[in-house]
């Protein structure tokens, strides 16, 4: 037929031959191979050795060398698989590529997409509670001698405040205050060990910090989780050759500003006015009375700036050396650190040596074991203890400017040299000759065994022990005897020793059903016990200060020795069940059953449950392909936690020992010290949380927001009892407090490219309210009390409420008759008739605004801290402004009342005894809001070519400034973020705090 192709037999054969040759040619081409090479790096852009590079589906493989390089001949259509223990596997199609460079992503819990949740880990996308994670990169970004300093401002809802300029003097709480007589501190967990002191952890040891905030996440810790939980995971070894990291950091500390105090000329003018308060009273001839201090014409010989003499520029350092590595069977990480943190105040420091080794060993396919061992030895000299006494920080403000540090004959000067003064040593003398030294040693050991019973079931058991000693040596030499705490030369030693052990065992069951259902079950038990012992010895009236505390027997007057000891233990059962359906619908249920020796016989045990659910809306079909919303998860949780952090033996009738002198002989005896309460039980906190996690534009914008409502019932308070019982009160569970708040964490990648700019905004607002107090909601004055009650616990008010009289000004001459009705006269302070609420210590909101800029090898970080709405009660301002002629004071007294200057709130100056002046009122409650340049740092990563020439894998140089600037209306103290009293409800009360330094940092990080 026309148009059809007709093949005869030979043609058909030819076609078959051509087809066969074509198929053969394609097959041959498919079998063609090529050499592919590249460099493999880790997340820190360091070469990663020991990575297995394999041609998928074959045995063709090669490892990367110590420079991270590999070379492998593979088929053109091959797929390369990159595998290394501790890292996520990756697959890359070769196609026409001959060079393939790979950045491996760690599976370590330090990664942002995995969080540690207590007795396990969880993908962040699967978390149903309120959990925040901070990586080691963020922790080391801000040089700090302790973990809390580096964590400050990084997590919404986590409040970390620096009380003063003393190294390590910090307070921390999560989502407000829950308790009045029990602890409000969060629970610290380090590598599974509960209750570790955060100050013993070297920040360079930390891989990640996870903060558990809501009841769903903290209920796994039951009776110890009401204050929130901070989980610290330390660094562990990885596969590969040994990697050596060296970190050297130096800091130059300076005083940001001085407080305006009277100089010699100003003080003399004020003193003349004080003598003139009584008409006709003559001003003393100090040229004759005090010739060591005054010239013949009556002018002062000296004009000492005590702030400059005491707060000297200082240098701090923080050096660390780590070695890590291993293979598939054994991994190790070792770190050694030295810290010398010098405060601005003379002879105030904290020196610390630390060492840590973490080992992980794979014994066989079903058994893994490990050991964590750390030790810290520190020596701290504290110079600001004894708040309210004549301490060195107080004398900086109150030492007379006409007093020299030393007289020409070498003797120390002091206020006691001047007429009518309070009489105190000068602060340089105090700091030189007063000793309060803490020598601490902390050893923490933890070992574990992890047994894989099947593909789905594992059993982990661990045992931990922590030993702590603190030897407190103190002495005052013969040159500093006016301090008020000692008589003549005195010395002593207090020693505390404690041993804590913990045993934890739990099963973990993981199972996937039908590829859509994932179940994870944790079931375990835990025992913990602590023993603590304190002994003390002291003596006074030494004939020499040569021995200090090293020969107490040389003291003429030995003081009775002291000793005490206590034990407590806790036993727990816990479980957690997590379930996910189709990776969209997430559920968590947690329960812990705790028993504590601290509580009454009728309430030793309690159960703390929680439940949570989350919906990953972005995984639904209607959003899965959205180009705008890349992640959307809604969370809800509710649960209960407890508070067991009260003193020991509170529920039983404890004995109290006393001694008395009879016929010249000391006799001892015991009496009942407290009333037993067998019904004493846990404070219980119920918390509800609603949260959302949102990612936009391929997660270039990430937002996490939470609102919470937290109510604590059964507050431990002292209730009055009939006096016929022989006691005033008994500790019982009456009272309630509420915390409500909002938290926001916003992270944005504003510019991505050769120039990068990212922003982090953390915002927290908490509203605290006391709901009930005692049987009749009586006011409680928790102290400290100075001149009068300073703060109040009252139903309807928040914790940290200041209370007192309101200053209305001063009485004018035209108000003489009205002033006389209240026993006052013109020039005296005019206060309100009744006391009222004066302010609140805690802010309305706090925020942290962090911007990171990078271009090529440079990176700039600018960290701004904001606190708004808090007040500060400055009691030091009261004593240094209102006690004229007893001590030096503020220049504000230059605006004191005079007949020509009556529009002022400062009373007419006068000598002590001339009339009422010193009082505590609203004049000393001031706005403590502030904006602080928390950290500004600039770093430079040295190019690889230069690193290679220096035989280094990586080198980073950095410099920066911390506490760069401070914008605040608070001018009578050095810093509005302050607390000098140790009482839990004395936050925001200042009584002569050490100033915080402005620190200029510089250093390097090198990888060998």
């Amino acid at each position: 037929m026309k148009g059809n192709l007709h093949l005869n037999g030979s043609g058909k054969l030819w076609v078959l031959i051509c087809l066969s040759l074509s198929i053969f040619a394609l097959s041959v081409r498919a079998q063609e191979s090529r050499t592919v090479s590249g460099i493999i790096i880790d997340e820190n852009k360091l070469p990663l050795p020991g990575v297995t590079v394999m041609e998928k589906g074959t045995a063709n493989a090669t490892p990367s060398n110590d420079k991270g390089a590999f070379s492998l001949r593979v088929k053109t259509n091959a797929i390369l698989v990159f595998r290394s223990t501790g890292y996520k596997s990756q697959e890359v199609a070769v196609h026409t590529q001959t060079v393939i460079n790979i950045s491996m992503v760690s599976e370590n819990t330090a990664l942002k997409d995995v969080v540690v949740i207590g007795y396990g880990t969880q993908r962040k996308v699967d978390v149903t509670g309120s959990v925040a994670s901070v990586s080691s990169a963020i922790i080391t970004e801000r040089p700090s001698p302790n973990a809390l300093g580096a964590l400050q401002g990084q997590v919404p809802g986590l409040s970390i405040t620096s009380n003063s300029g003393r190294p390590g003097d910090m307070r921390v709480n999560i989502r407000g205050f829950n308790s009045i007589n029990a602890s409000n501190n969060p629970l610290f967990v380090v590598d599974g060990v509960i209750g570790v002191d955060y100050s013993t952890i070297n920040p360079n040891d930390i891989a990640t910090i996870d903060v558990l905030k809501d009841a769903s996440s903290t209920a796994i810790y039951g009776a110890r989780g009401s204050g929130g939980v901070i989980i610290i995971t330390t660094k562990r070894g990885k596969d590969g050759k040994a990697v050596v990291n060296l970190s050297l950091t130096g800091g130059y500390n300076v005083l940001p500003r001085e407080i305006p105090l009277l100089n010699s000329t100003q003080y003399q003018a004020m003193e003349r006015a004080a003598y003139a308060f009584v008409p006709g009273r003559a001003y003393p001839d100090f040229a004759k009375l005090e010739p060591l201090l005054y010239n013949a014409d009556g002018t002062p010989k000296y004009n000492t700036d005590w702030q400059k003499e005491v707060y000297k520029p200082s240098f701090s350092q923080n050096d660390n050396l780590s070695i890590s590595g291993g293979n598939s069977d054994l991994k190790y990480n070792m770190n050694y650190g030295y810290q010398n943190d010098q405060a601005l105040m003379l002879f105030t420091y904290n020196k610390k040596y630390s060492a840590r080794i973490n080992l992980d060993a794979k014994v066989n396919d079903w058994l893994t074991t490990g050991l964590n061992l750390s030790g810290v030895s520190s020596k701290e000299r504290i110079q600001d203890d004894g708040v309210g006494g004549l301490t060195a920080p107080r004398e900086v403000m109150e030492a007379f400017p006409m007093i020299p540090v030393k007289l020409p004959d070498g003797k120390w000067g002091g206020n006691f040299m001047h007429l009518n003064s309070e009489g105190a040593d000068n602060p340089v003398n105090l700091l030189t000759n007063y000793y309060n030294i803490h020598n601490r040693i902390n050893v923490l050991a933890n070992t574990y065994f992890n047994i894989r019973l099947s593909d789905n079931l594992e059993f982990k058991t661990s045992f931990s022990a922590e030993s702590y000693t603190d030897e407190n040596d103190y002495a005052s030499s013969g040159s500093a005897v006016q301090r008020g705490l000692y008589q003549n030369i005195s010395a002593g030693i207090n020693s505390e020793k404690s041993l804590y052990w913990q045993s934890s065992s739990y099963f973990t069951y993981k199972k996937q059903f039908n590829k859509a259902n994932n179940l994870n079950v944790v079931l375990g038990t835990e025992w913990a016990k602590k023993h603590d012992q304190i002994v003390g010895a002291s003596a006074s009236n030494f004939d020499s200060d040569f021995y200090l505390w090293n020969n107490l027997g040389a003291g003429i007057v030995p003081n009775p020795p002291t000793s005490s000891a206590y034990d407590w233990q806790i036993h727990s059962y816990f479980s957690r069940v997590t379930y996910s359906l189709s990776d969209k619908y997430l559920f968590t249920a947690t329960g812990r059953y705790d028993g504590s020796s601290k509580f009454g016989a009728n309430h030793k045990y309690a159960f703390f449950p929680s439940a949570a659910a989350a919906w990953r809306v972005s995984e639904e079909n209607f959003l899965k392909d959205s180009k705008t919303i890349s992640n959307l998860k809604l969370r809800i949780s509710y649960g209960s936690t407890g508070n067991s952090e009260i003193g020991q033996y509170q529920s039983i009738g404890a004995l109290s020992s006393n001694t008395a002198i009879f016929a010249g002989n000391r006799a001892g005896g015991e009496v009942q010290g407290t009333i037993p309460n067998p019904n004493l039980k846990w404070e219980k906190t119920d918390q509800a949380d609603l949260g959302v996690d949102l990612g936009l534009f391929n997660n270039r914008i990430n937002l996490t927001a939470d609102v919470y409502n937290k109510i604590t019932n059964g507050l431990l308070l002292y209730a009055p009892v009939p006096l016929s019982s022989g006691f005033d009160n008994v500790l019982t569970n009456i009272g309630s407090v509420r915390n409500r708040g909002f938290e926001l964490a916003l992270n944005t990648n504003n510019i991505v490219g050769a120039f990068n700019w990212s922003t982090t905004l953390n915002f927290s607002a908490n509203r605290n309210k006391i709901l009930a107090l005692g049987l009749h909601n009586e006011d409680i004055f928790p102290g400290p009390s100075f001149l009068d009650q300073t703060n109040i616990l009252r139903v309807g008010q928040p914790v940290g409420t200041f209370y007192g009289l309101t200053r209305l000004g001063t009485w004018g001459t035209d108000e003489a008759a009205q002033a006389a009705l209240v026993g006052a006269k013109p020039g005296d302070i005019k206060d309100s008739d009744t006391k009222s609420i004066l302010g609140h210590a805690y802010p309305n909101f706090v925020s942290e605004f962090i911007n990171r800029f990078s271009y090529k090898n440079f990176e700039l970080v600018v960290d701004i801290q904001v606190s708004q709405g808090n007040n500060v009660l400055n009691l030091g301002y009261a004593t240094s402004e209102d006690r004229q002629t007893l001590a030096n004071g503020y220049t504000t007294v230059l605006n004191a009342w005079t007949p020509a200057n009556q529009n002022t709130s400062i009373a007419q100056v006068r000598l002590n005894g001339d009339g009422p002046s010193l009082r505590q009122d609203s004049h000393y409650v001031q706005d403590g809001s502030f904006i602080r340049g928390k950290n500004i740092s600039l770093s430079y990563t040295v190019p690889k070519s230069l690193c290679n020439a220096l035989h280094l894998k990586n080198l980073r140089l950095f410099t920066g400034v911390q506490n760069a600037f401070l914008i605040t209306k608070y001018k009578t103290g050095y810093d509005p973020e302050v607390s000098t009293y140790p009482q839990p409800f004395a936050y925001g009360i200042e009584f002569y705090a050490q100033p915080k330094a402005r620190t200029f940092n510089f250093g390097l990080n090198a990888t060998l």
Side-chain angles (χ1 to χ4, degrees), residues 16-17 154 174 202 207 238 288-289 314 340 387 579 624 632 707 711 800 811 839 876 908 941 1000:
L16 290 174
I17 292 173
Q154 303 290 351
I174 297 175
N202 186 337
K238 300 177 183 178
K288 292 182 179 180
L289 293 173
S314 64
N340 184 356
V387 178
Y579 171 74
K624 198 166 188 178
L632 176 59
V707 292
I711 297 177
W811 293 102
Q908 183 178 9
T941 301
F1000 297 91

Side-chain angles (χ1 to χ4, degrees), residues 212-229:
L212 316 185
K213 297 184 287 185
D214 71 327
S216 171
S217 56
T218 61
I220 194 70
Y221 292 102
R224 304 165 80 178
S226 67
V229 181

Side-chain angles (χ1 to χ4, degrees), residues 802 840-841 870-875 924-929 970 972 975-978 987-990:
F802 300 131
H840 303 98
N870 57 296
N871 296 110
V872 178
L873 171 57
N874 191 344
L875 298 178
Y924 309 108
V925 178
Q926 301 174 347
D927 186 355
S929 302
Y970 183 66
T972 62
D975 199 297
E977 187 182 69
V978 63
Y987 180 78
I989 301 179
E990 176 175 0

Side-chain angles (χ1 to χ4, degrees), residues 488-776:
N488 300 322
I489 304 171
S490 63
I493 299 174
N494 290 323
S495 179
E496 179 181 8
K497 297 181 179 180
S498 68
L499 177 64
Y500 171 84
W501 64 261
Q502 171 188 311
S503 176
S504 307
S505 299
Y506 59 93
F507 292 92
T508 302
Y509 177 77
K510 300 178 182 179
K511 180 67 175 179
Q512 185 179 57
F513 304 92
N514 303 323
K515 296 184 179 181
N517 300 271
N518 288 279
L519 179 68
N520 185 303
V521 180
V522 174
L523 179 64
T525 184
E526 192 166 71
W527 282 92
K529 184 175 182 179
K530 184 176 183 178
H531 172 76
D532 193 284
Q533 184 179 49
I534 302 173
V535 296
S538 63
S540 60
N541 287 22
F542 290 78
D543 60 3
S544 168
D545 58 10
F546 174 77
Y547 293 111
L548 297 177
W549 53 84
N550 296 303
N551 186 3
L552 297 180
I556 297 173
V557 181
N559 300 315
T562 61
S563 64
S564 63
Y566 67 82
D567 292 88
W568 63 260
Q569 56 186 324
I570 188 169
H571 180 211
S572 310
Y573 301 94
F574 57 87
S575 180
R576 179 177 58 232
V577 178
T578 60
Y579 171 74
S580 69
L581 175 62
S582 301
D583 225 17
K584 303 177 187 177
Y585 314 108
L586 314 171
F587 306 93
T588 302
T590 306
R592 184 165 178 130
Y593 189 61
D594 278 324
S596 173
S597 62
K598 296 180 180 179
F599 292 93
N602 298 334
H603 296 282
K604 290 290 186 187
Y605 283 85
F607 180 64
F608 303 97
S610 75
W615 177 25
R616 295 186 64 195
V617 185
S618 54
E619 294 302 301
E620 298 288 356
N621 292 333
F622 59 83
L623 269 184
K624 198 166 188 178
D625 297 324
S626 172
K627 295 181 179 180
T628 302
I629 298 177
S630 43
N631 177 50
L632 176 59
K633 180 170 68 174
L634 305 178
R635 296 177 280 106
I636 183 172
S637 69
Y638 183 83
S640 300
T641 51
N643 193 338
S644 64
E645 301 309 303
I646 64 171
Q648 294 71 37
Y649 316 122
Q650 298 285 326
S651 65
I652 61 178
L655 295 177
S656 175
S657 61
N658 294 278
T659 61
I661 304 297
F662 294 100
N665 297 314
R666 185 180 296 275
E670 287 75 34
V671 297
Q672 184 175 338
T674 59
I675 299 179
N677 181 4
N679 293 315
L680 194 69
K681 60 184 179 180
W682 327 77
E683 294 182 344
K684 193 174 183 180
T685 299
D686 298 319
Q687 183 176 182
D689 185 281
L690 291 173
V692 58
D693 301 325
L694 175 65
L696 301 174
F697 309 113
N698 198 24
N699 290 325
R700 285 192 61 172
I701 299 175
N702 285 282
L703 178 147
T704 297
D706 286 84
V707 292
Y708 59 87
N709 185 62
K710 185 167 62 167
I711 297 177
T712 301
N713 292 304
L715 290 180
L716 292 164
L717 297 172
Y718 287 95
V721 295
L723 293 179
S724 57
S725 67
F727 299 91
D728 296 327
N729 51 51
V730 61
L731 186 63
T732 188
N733 296 92
I734 45 175
S736 178
V737 65
R738 184 184 69 200
N739 287 277
R740 287 177 174 172
F742 170 72
E743 299 165 357
L744 174 69
L746 177 64
N747 295 277
T748 63
N749 294 307
N750 308 314
I751 299 176
V752 178
F755 173 77
N756 292 277
W757 171 29
S758 64
T759 299
T760 296
L761 173 64
N762 294 321
F763 177 91
S764 306
N766 182 76
R767 297 292 181 269
N768 177 278
K769 185 177 183 180
I770 298 173
L771 302 180
L773 287 176
L775 298 174
H776 306 289

Side-chain angles (χ1 to χ4, degrees), residues 53 121 221 317 338 368 377 399 416 418 425 528 562 569 580 588 590 628 667 724 744 770 890 906 973 992:
V53 184
T121 61
Y221 292 102
Q317 68 181 105
Y338 170 69
T368 303
S377 175
F416 54 86
H418 189 57
D425 293 298
T562 61
Q569 56 186 324
S580 69
T588 302
T590 306
T628 302
S724 57
L744 174 69
I770 298 173
Y890 290 81
I906 302 173
Y992 302 107

